[in-house]
Structure formats: structure tokens, C-alpha cells
Amino acid sequence: MKKLLSLMFVIAATVSCVDDDLGAEGDFTGPKIVGFGTNFASVPHFEDIGTVSEQFPVNIIGLGNGMPSNEPIVVNYEIVSDGTTATEGVEFDFVDSTGQITIPAGSTFGMFPLNVNTGNFNPTAKTELVLKLTDASGETVIGAQYDTLRIIFVGCQSQLAGTYSLTVTNLTNGAVRVFPSAEIITETAVNTFHTTTTGTWLLGQLASPTQGYNFIDICGEITVPEQNLGNYYSNLVRGVSADGVDGTVTDADHFTVTYEVTFAAGNQTFEAVYVRNN
């Protein structure tokens, strides 16, 4: 059971235990709801290893009557031309050209397969394929929050790991906190990083085992995927941009990230400016 960090008691990190938000996942009435398992997927390759197969899940998010479907669910998708910069036959090839993804009978997910041409990535800039689910067969609807998937093809490798001084401004109330030298940026996967702190909270002010947040750097453009605060609270940490670019790398020693933390009393937005110390 996740905790909910209250805005009223944020400094003392006082929390109250609440039931997990069921949302669509706990809805046992109405139609089944389907959507992509994630709205953002990074596919990095820095050398030519030929064509590799990648798969991306489409899930039944709300089961409707609480049971998987007795019939296959066919989900239709389309390419979103406004936002797609990758080219079929260059960065990727479709495994089939039906424009459909099938969730097998009795299953809660299906997979969208894609052939990725690793030798054709741009080494200095990202390109992307944007897909949108349009409709599905049977008593099934597309979840509005889960209808779009951005597949990012990455040919440039980030080097942001290190120790930084950090200035965080709470853009909602104007509060500023400076972390002089203890902000360590750790690489957890290719082009994926974890910070030491989140917002203006000092280490130890949150009860979570980790105080930081995750972000992704793709060719100098930073994205903050949706995640639980400290991987512990029900409060969410997420980017605020419409295009998925929540920050930028100015140069090898400076980058800036803007993100929000959700609260029942109103979300708070933070701007974090990182300056490398080593």
C-alpha cells in the first residue's frame, strides 16, 4: 500500500495510509479498457548490430466484468504524422502492415512487434515513431490516457552521470533551495539516470528509501516519465511538457529539468538547474 504525501505536512514528511487508487484497473463494470503499457519507449543503439526485434505491450487496463475476454481483441492503430520523424525502411520496419494488434483470448495483453534497423540511427539527434490506438473490437474502448506510444530511436549516448551543485525553484510558490555539492546523478541504464533529491526536500525529509527521481536524456532533450515520488508515495513525479521534452542539456556541465509533483491540494512545479562539480 503506497503512502500519500500531504502538501500540508510536506516538510515534516507526515503521511497517512490511503487505499491505492483503483482507477480504470479496478473497474469491474462497463466495457474493457485497453491501452499501451507505456507512453514512451527508448530504443538506443550505438553500433550496427543489424536488424533486431523489439516488442511493445498493449494491455487490458480495465477488465470490465473482471475477466479476460473469451475472444481475441483486435486493436487498430495509426501512425501520427505530426510528431513522427523516423522513416519506415530506415530506422524501423513493421513486422506486418495490417495496422492491428491482437490481444489473444484469455490474455490481458498483446504485443506490438517492430523490426529495428540499428545501423540507420542518427548519431547526433533522436528520431521517433508515434503510434495512436484508434479503436478495438467487441465491448472494448481505448483508454484516453494510454492511446499514444512514442518510440524513440537513439544513436547518441548521454554522459550526464556525475556530481553536481543544484538549485531548485518551486515555480508554484517561489521557494528556492540550493544543494551545493551533494547531488549525485547516477546512470541506471543507457541514457537513463536517477537523481539524489526531488523538489526542495532535503535528504531525510521523505520517508521513502530513495529521495530522487528518474529521467531520460536523449540527445540533449530530457524527459521525466511518470513515477511515484520516491518509489514510495502515491504522489506522482512527472514532466509537464506537451511534447515530452521536460529539460535540456546546455553543455557537458549544465542541464535543466522542469517537472511537477502531484498533491490533492494542488500540484507543484519545480525547475532544477544542475551544474557539474566533477
Side-chain angles (χ1 to χ4, degrees):
M1 183 179 297
K2 291 190 181 299
K3 305 289 185 179
L4 175 65
L5 184 63
S6 170
L7 182 61
M8 296 177 61
F9 301 102
V10 68
I11 297 301
T14 301
V15 297
S16 60
C17 188
V18 299
D19 290 335
D20 289 337
D21 291 335
L22 291 177
E25 295 85 345
D27 184 7
F28 295 124
T29 61
K32 298 186 189 307
I33 302 171
V34 300
F36 285 114
T38 180
N39 59 12
F40 176 96
S42 175
V43 182
H45 286 282
F46 309 108
E47 59 181 338
D48 185 359
I49 58 174
T51 299
V52 299
S53 177
E54 298 283 351
Q55 296 192 83
F56 307 91
V58 174
N59 299 333
I60 300 179
I61 300 162
L63 288 173
N65 62 2
M67 300 295 293
S69 175
N70 292 326
E71 301 290 335
I73 297 174
V74 178
V75 185
N76 296 304
Y77 68 87
E78 64 183 10
I79 299 174
V80 180
S81 57
D82 183 14
T84 293
T85 55
T87 303
E88 183 179 3
V90 181
E91 293 96 333
F92 70 93
D93 289 291
F94 290 112
V95 175
D96 66 67
S97 57
T98 62
Q100 297 180 329
I101 304 162
T102 299
I103 300 175
S107 178
T108 58
F109 68 94
M111 302 300 291
F112 168 69
L114 192 70
N115 287 332
V116 175
N117 305 317
T118 63
N120 294 340
F121 285 15
N122 188 321
T124 60
K126 71 178 183 181
T127 59
E128 59 186 281
L129 168 64
V130 185
L131 302 176
K132 184 174 183 178
L133 303 180
T134 58
D135 56 75
S137 63
E139 298 292 325
T140 307
V141 298
I142 306 299
Q145 297 180 19
Y146 312 98
D147 67 352
T148 302
L149 169 63
R150 296 170 55 225
I151 302 173
I152 314 297
F153 304 99
V154 185
C156 42
Q157 189 165 6
S158 177
Q159 305 292 332
L160 288 184
T163 302
Y164 292 77
S165 59
L166 168 63
T167 301
V168 180
T169 302
N170 185 324
L171 299 179
T172 305
N173 61 24
V176 178
R177 172 151 285 168
V178 177
F179 299 82
S181 61
E183 187 68 23
I184 300 172
I185 304 298
T186 304
E187 186 171 15
T188 59
V190 175
N191 288 17
T192 301
F193 300 89
H194 188 75
T195 67
T196 302
T197 60
T198 300
T200 55
W201 293 287
L202 295 172
L203 289 176
Q205 284 190 327
L206 301 179
S208 54
T210 174
Q211 307 279 290
Y213 65 93
N214 300 313
F215 70 88
I216 300 167
D217 171 30
I218 298 177
C219 304
E221 295 182 344
I222 292 173
T223 298
V224 180
E226 186 173 277
Q227 59 202 275
N228 290 107
L229 174 62
N231 196 31
Y232 179 79
Y233 298 99
S234 295
N235 308 71
L236 298 177
V237 179
R238 61 194 181 193
V240 296
S241 67
D243 61 1
V245 180
D246 304 309
T248 56
V249 180
T250 306
D251 54 45
D253 296 324
H254 303 80
F255 68 95
T256 302
V257 187
T258 302
Y259 57 91
E260 71 177 3
V261 180
T262 64
F263 294 95
N267 300 344
Q268 303 227 343
T269 302
F270 299 90
E271 181 184 70
V273 179
Y274 298 82
V275 180
R276 189 186 295 272
N277 290 334
N278 67 342

PDB file of all heavy atoms in Angstrom, residues 75-95:
ATOM      1  N   VAL A  75      -7.024  -4.579 -31.837  1.00  0.00           N
ATOM      2  CA  VAL A  75      -6.858  -3.153 -31.583  1.00  0.00           C
ATOM      3  C   VAL A  75      -6.238  -2.513 -32.822  1.00  0.00           C
ATOM      4  O   VAL A  75      -5.189  -2.964 -33.302  1.00  0.00           O
ATOM      5  CB  VAL A  75      -5.968  -2.907 -30.355  1.00  0.00           C
ATOM      6  CG1 VAL A  75      -5.913  -1.420 -30.022  1.00  0.00           C
ATOM      7  CG2 VAL A  75      -6.461  -3.704 -29.151  1.00  0.00           C
ATOM      8  N   ASN A  76      -6.873  -1.479 -33.343  1.00  0.00           N
ATOM      9  CA  ASN A  76      -6.372  -0.776 -34.526  1.00  0.00           C
ATOM     10  C   ASN A  76      -5.519   0.415 -34.112  1.00  0.00           C
ATOM     11  O   ASN A  76      -5.805   1.079 -33.101  1.00  0.00           O
ATOM     12  CB  ASN A  76      -7.533  -0.301 -35.395  1.00  0.00           C
ATOM     13  CG  ASN A  76      -8.337  -1.456 -35.959  1.00  0.00           C
ATOM     14  OD1 ASN A  76      -7.801  -2.333 -36.619  1.00  0.00           O
ATOM     15  ND2 ASN A  76      -9.637  -1.466 -35.684  1.00  0.00           N
ATOM     16  N   TYR A  77      -4.477   0.668 -34.892  1.00  0.00           N
ATOM     17  CA  TYR A  77      -3.619   1.816 -34.614  1.00  0.00           C
ATOM     18  C   TYR A  77      -3.294   2.553 -35.907  1.00  0.00           C
ATOM     19  O   TYR A  77      -3.463   2.032 -37.022  1.00  0.00           O
ATOM     20  CB  TYR A  77      -2.323   1.377 -33.925  1.00  0.00           C
ATOM     21  CG  TYR A  77      -1.381   0.572 -34.795  1.00  0.00           C
ATOM     22  CD1 TYR A  77      -0.436   1.194 -35.611  1.00  0.00           C
ATOM     23  CD2 TYR A  77      -1.439  -0.822 -34.812  1.00  0.00           C
ATOM     24  CE1 TYR A  77       0.417   0.452 -36.418  1.00  0.00           C
ATOM     25  CE2 TYR A  77      -0.597  -1.570 -35.614  1.00  0.00           C
ATOM     26  CZ  TYR A  77       0.339  -0.917 -36.410  1.00  0.00           C
ATOM     27  OH  TYR A  77       1.170  -1.650 -37.212  1.00  0.00           O
ATOM     28  N   GLU A  78      -2.793   3.774 -35.743  1.00  0.00           N
ATOM     29  CA  GLU A  78      -2.353   4.571 -36.878  1.00  0.00           C
ATOM     30  C   GLU A  78      -1.067   5.299 -36.523  1.00  0.00           C
ATOM     31  O   GLU A  78      -0.757   5.493 -35.335  1.00  0.00           O
ATOM     32  CB  GLU A  78      -3.430   5.582 -37.279  1.00  0.00           C
ATOM     33  CG  GLU A  78      -3.733   6.615 -36.218  1.00  0.00           C
ATOM     34  CD  GLU A  78      -4.862   7.557 -36.602  1.00  0.00           C
ATOM     35  OE1 GLU A  78      -5.537   7.272 -37.619  1.00  0.00           O
ATOM     36  OE2 GLU A  78      -5.068   8.569 -35.905  1.00  0.00           O
ATOM     37  N   ILE A  79      -0.308   5.673 -37.538  1.00  0.00           N
ATOM     38  CA  ILE A  79       0.886   6.485 -37.339  1.00  0.00           C
ATOM     39  C   ILE A  79       0.464   7.945 -37.213  1.00  0.00           C
ATOM     40  O   ILE A  79      -0.335   8.440 -38.018  1.00  0.00           O
ATOM     41  CB  ILE A  79       1.872   6.323 -38.502  1.00  0.00           C
ATOM     42  CG1 ILE A  79       2.323   4.862 -38.626  1.00  0.00           C
ATOM     43  CG2 ILE A  79       3.080   7.233 -38.326  1.00  0.00           C
ATOM     44  CD1 ILE A  79       3.179   4.602 -39.846  1.00  0.00           C
ATOM     45  N   VAL A  80       0.966   8.615 -36.207  1.00  0.00           N
ATOM     46  CA  VAL A  80       0.700  10.039 -36.037  1.00  0.00           C
ATOM     47  C   VAL A  80       1.771  10.793 -36.816  1.00  0.00           C
ATOM     48  O   VAL A  80       2.937  10.858 -36.402  1.00  0.00           O
ATOM     49  CB  VAL A  80       0.716  10.436 -34.550  1.00  0.00           C
ATOM     50  CG1 VAL A  80       0.427  11.923 -34.400  1.00  0.00           C
ATOM     51  CG2 VAL A  80      -0.303   9.613 -33.772  1.00  0.00           C
ATOM     52  N   SER A  81       1.378  11.343 -37.945  1.00  0.00           N
ATOM     53  CA  SER A  81       2.358  12.007 -38.813  1.00  0.00           C
ATOM     54  C   SER A  81       2.925  13.265 -38.166  1.00  0.00           C
ATOM     55  O   SER A  81       4.099  13.601 -38.368  1.00  0.00           O
ATOM     56  CB  SER A  81       1.722  12.353 -40.164  1.00  0.00           C
ATOM     57  OG  SER A  81       0.579  13.170 -39.989  1.00  0.00           O
ATOM     58  N   ASP A  82       2.085  13.957 -37.381  1.00  0.00           N
ATOM     59  CA  ASP A  82       2.550  15.140 -36.670  1.00  0.00           C
ATOM     60  C   ASP A  82       3.310  14.691 -35.427  1.00  0.00           C
ATOM     61  O   ASP A  82       2.725  14.446 -34.380  1.00  0.00           O
ATOM     62  CB  ASP A  82       1.365  16.023 -36.293  1.00  0.00           C
ATOM     63  CG  ASP A  82       1.804  17.310 -35.609  1.00  0.00           C
ATOM     64  OD1 ASP A  82       2.999  17.633 -35.670  1.00  0.00           O
ATOM     65  OD2 ASP A  82       0.937  17.978 -35.006  1.00  0.00           O
ATOM     66  N   GLY A  83       4.598  14.551 -35.528  1.00  0.00           N
ATOM     67  CA  GLY A  83       5.426  14.073 -34.422  1.00  0.00           C
ATOM     68  C   GLY A  83       6.333  12.938 -34.827  1.00  0.00           C
ATOM     69  O   GLY A  83       7.386  12.735 -34.222  1.00  0.00           O
ATOM     70  N   THR A  84       5.965  12.178 -35.842  1.00  0.00           N
ATOM     71  CA  THR A  84       6.817  11.086 -36.326  1.00  0.00           C
ATOM     72  C   THR A  84       7.912  11.644 -37.212  1.00  0.00           C
ATOM     73  O   THR A  84       7.643  12.295 -38.225  1.00  0.00           O
ATOM     74  CB  THR A  84       5.987  10.047 -37.107  1.00  0.00           C
ATOM     75  OG1 THR A  84       5.103   9.394 -36.199  1.00  0.00           O
ATOM     76  CG2 THR A  84       6.888   9.011 -37.750  1.00  0.00           C
ATOM     77  N   THR A  85       9.155  11.395 -36.824  1.00  0.00           N
ATOM     78  CA  THR A  85      10.306  11.860 -37.603  1.00  0.00           C
ATOM     79  C   THR A  85      11.154  10.707 -38.115  1.00  0.00           C
ATOM     80  O   THR A  85      12.033  10.914 -38.946  1.00  0.00           O
ATOM     81  CB  THR A  85      11.190  12.799 -36.755  1.00  0.00           C
ATOM     82  OG1 THR A  85      11.558  12.126 -35.543  1.00  0.00           O
ATOM     83  CG2 THR A  85      10.438  14.079 -36.400  1.00  0.00           C
ATOM     84  N   ALA A  86      10.919   9.486 -37.614  1.00  0.00           N
ATOM     85  CA  ALA A  86      11.612   8.306 -38.122  1.00  0.00           C
ATOM     86  C   ALA A  86      10.918   7.838 -39.411  1.00  0.00           C
ATOM     87  O   ALA A  86       9.748   8.151 -39.661  1.00  0.00           O
ATOM     88  CB  ALA A  86      11.596   7.191 -37.082  1.00  0.00           C
ATOM     89  N   THR A  87      11.654   7.072 -40.213  1.00  0.00           N
ATOM     90  CA  THR A  87      11.158   6.666 -41.524  1.00  0.00           C
ATOM     91  C   THR A  87      11.122   5.154 -41.631  1.00  0.00           C
ATOM     92  O   THR A  87      12.121   4.480 -41.327  1.00  0.00           O
ATOM     93  CB  THR A  87      12.060   7.237 -42.635  1.00  0.00           C
ATOM     94  OG1 THR A  87      12.111   8.661 -42.519  1.00  0.00           O
ATOM     95  CG2 THR A  87      11.534   6.862 -44.011  1.00  0.00           C
ATOM     96  N   GLU A  88       9.980   4.638 -42.071  1.00  0.00           N
ATOM     97  CA  GLU A  88       9.884   3.205 -42.325  1.00  0.00           C
ATOM     98  C   GLU A  88      10.883   2.822 -43.412  1.00  0.00           C
ATOM     99  O   GLU A  88      11.011   3.499 -44.427  1.00  0.00           O
ATOM    100  CB  GLU A  88       8.463   2.838 -42.759  1.00  0.00           C
ATOM    101  CG  GLU A  88       8.270   1.349 -42.967  1.00  0.00           C
ATOM    102  CD  GLU A  88       6.853   0.976 -43.364  1.00  0.00           C
ATOM    103  OE1 GLU A  88       6.021   1.898 -43.538  1.00  0.00           O
ATOM    104  OE2 GLU A  88       6.576  -0.239 -43.504  1.00  0.00           O
ATOM    105  N   GLY A  89      11.630   1.746 -43.177  1.00  0.00           N
ATOM    106  CA  GLY A  89      12.670   1.334 -44.100  1.00  0.00           C
ATOM    107  C   GLY A  89      14.033   1.904 -43.754  1.00  0.00           C
ATOM    108  O   GLY A  89      15.046   1.481 -44.317  1.00  0.00           O
ATOM    109  N   VAL A  90      14.063   2.856 -42.827  1.00  0.00           N
ATOM    110  CA  VAL A  90      15.346   3.421 -42.361  1.00  0.00           C
ATOM    111  C   VAL A  90      15.557   2.948 -40.921  1.00  0.00           C
ATOM    112  O   VAL A  90      16.193   1.935 -40.678  1.00  0.00           O
ATOM    113  CB  VAL A  90      15.367   4.954 -42.474  1.00  0.00           C
ATOM    114  CG1 VAL A  90      16.730   5.511 -42.002  1.00  0.00           C
ATOM    115  CG2 VAL A  90      15.099   5.381 -43.909  1.00  0.00           C
ATOM    116  N   GLU A  91      14.985   3.648 -39.944  1.00  0.00           N
ATOM    117  CA  GLU A  91      15.161   3.219 -38.552  1.00  0.00           C
ATOM    118  C   GLU A  91      14.380   1.949 -38.216  1.00  0.00           C
ATOM    119  O   GLU A  91      14.793   1.186 -37.345  1.00  0.00           O
ATOM    120  CB  GLU A  91      14.725   4.331 -37.583  1.00  0.00           C
ATOM    121  CG  GLU A  91      15.605   5.571 -37.615  1.00  0.00           C
ATOM    122  CD  GLU A  91      15.027   6.642 -38.515  1.00  0.00           C
ATOM    123  OE1 GLU A  91      14.289   6.294 -39.470  1.00  0.00           O
ATOM    124  OE2 GLU A  91      15.299   7.820 -38.263  1.00  0.00           O
ATOM    125  N   PHE A  92      13.253   1.726 -38.873  1.00  0.00           N
ATOM    126  CA  PHE A  92      12.396   0.604 -38.488  1.00  0.00           C
ATOM    127  C   PHE A  92      11.678   0.037 -39.703  1.00  0.00           C
ATOM    128  O   PHE A  92      11.567   0.671 -40.758  1.00  0.00           O
ATOM    129  CB  PHE A  92      11.360   1.058 -37.451  1.00  0.00           C
ATOM    130  CG  PHE A  92      10.308   1.988 -38.024  1.00  0.00           C
ATOM    131  CD1 PHE A  92       9.108   1.481 -38.515  1.00  0.00           C
ATOM    132  CD2 PHE A  92      10.523   3.360 -38.092  1.00  0.00           C
ATOM    133  CE1 PHE A  92       8.144   2.322 -39.052  1.00  0.00           C
ATOM    134  CE2 PHE A  92       9.560   4.199 -38.626  1.00  0.00           C
ATOM    135  CZ  PHE A  92       8.369   3.685 -39.116  1.00  0.00           C
ATOM    136  N   ASP A  93      11.139  -1.175 -39.504  1.00  0.00           N
ATOM    137  CA  ASP A  93      10.213  -1.804 -40.449  1.00  0.00           C
ATOM    138  C   ASP A  93       9.110  -2.470 -39.649  1.00  0.00           C
ATOM    139  O   ASP A  93       9.364  -3.094 -38.609  1.00  0.00           O
ATOM    140  CB  ASP A  93      10.921  -2.862 -41.310  1.00  0.00           C
ATOM    141  CG  ASP A  93      11.870  -2.235 -42.328  1.00  0.00           C
ATOM    142  OD1 ASP A  93      11.373  -1.591 -43.262  1.00  0.00           O
ATOM    143  OD2 ASP A  93      13.099  -2.403 -42.167  1.00  0.00           O
ATOM    144  N   PHE A  94       7.877  -2.356 -40.135  1.00  0.00           N
ATOM    145  CA  PHE A  94       6.778  -3.055 -39.489  1.00  0.00           C
ATOM    146  C   PHE A  94       6.877  -4.548 -39.765  1.00  0.00           C
ATOM    147  O   PHE A  94       7.224  -4.968 -40.872  1.00  0.00           O
ATOM    148  CB  PHE A  94       5.431  -2.529 -39.987  1.00  0.00           C
ATOM    149  CG  PHE A  94       5.118  -1.129 -39.525  1.00  0.00           C
ATOM    150  CD1 PHE A  94       5.066  -0.076 -40.422  1.00  0.00           C
ATOM    151  CD2 PHE A  94       4.873  -0.875 -38.182  1.00  0.00           C
ATOM    152  CE1 PHE A  94       4.777   1.215 -40.001  1.00  0.00           C
ATOM    153  CE2 PHE A  94       4.577   0.415 -37.742  1.00  0.00           C
ATOM    154  CZ  PHE A  94       4.536   1.457 -38.655  1.00  0.00           C
ATOM    155  N   VAL A  95       6.571  -5.347 -38.758  1.00  0.00           N
ATOM    156  CA  VAL A  95       6.544  -6.797 -38.940  1.00  0.00           C
ATOM    157  C   VAL A  95       5.372  -7.183 -39.825  1.00  0.00           C
ATOM    158  O   VAL A  95       5.458  -8.096 -40.651  1.00  0.00           O
ATOM    159  CB  VAL A  95       6.471  -7.506 -37.575  1.00  0.00           C
ATOM    160  CG1 VAL A  95       6.307  -9.015 -37.747  1.00  0.00           C
ATOM    161  CG2 VAL A  95       7.732  -7.201 -36.761  1.00  0.00           C
TER     162      VAL A  95
END
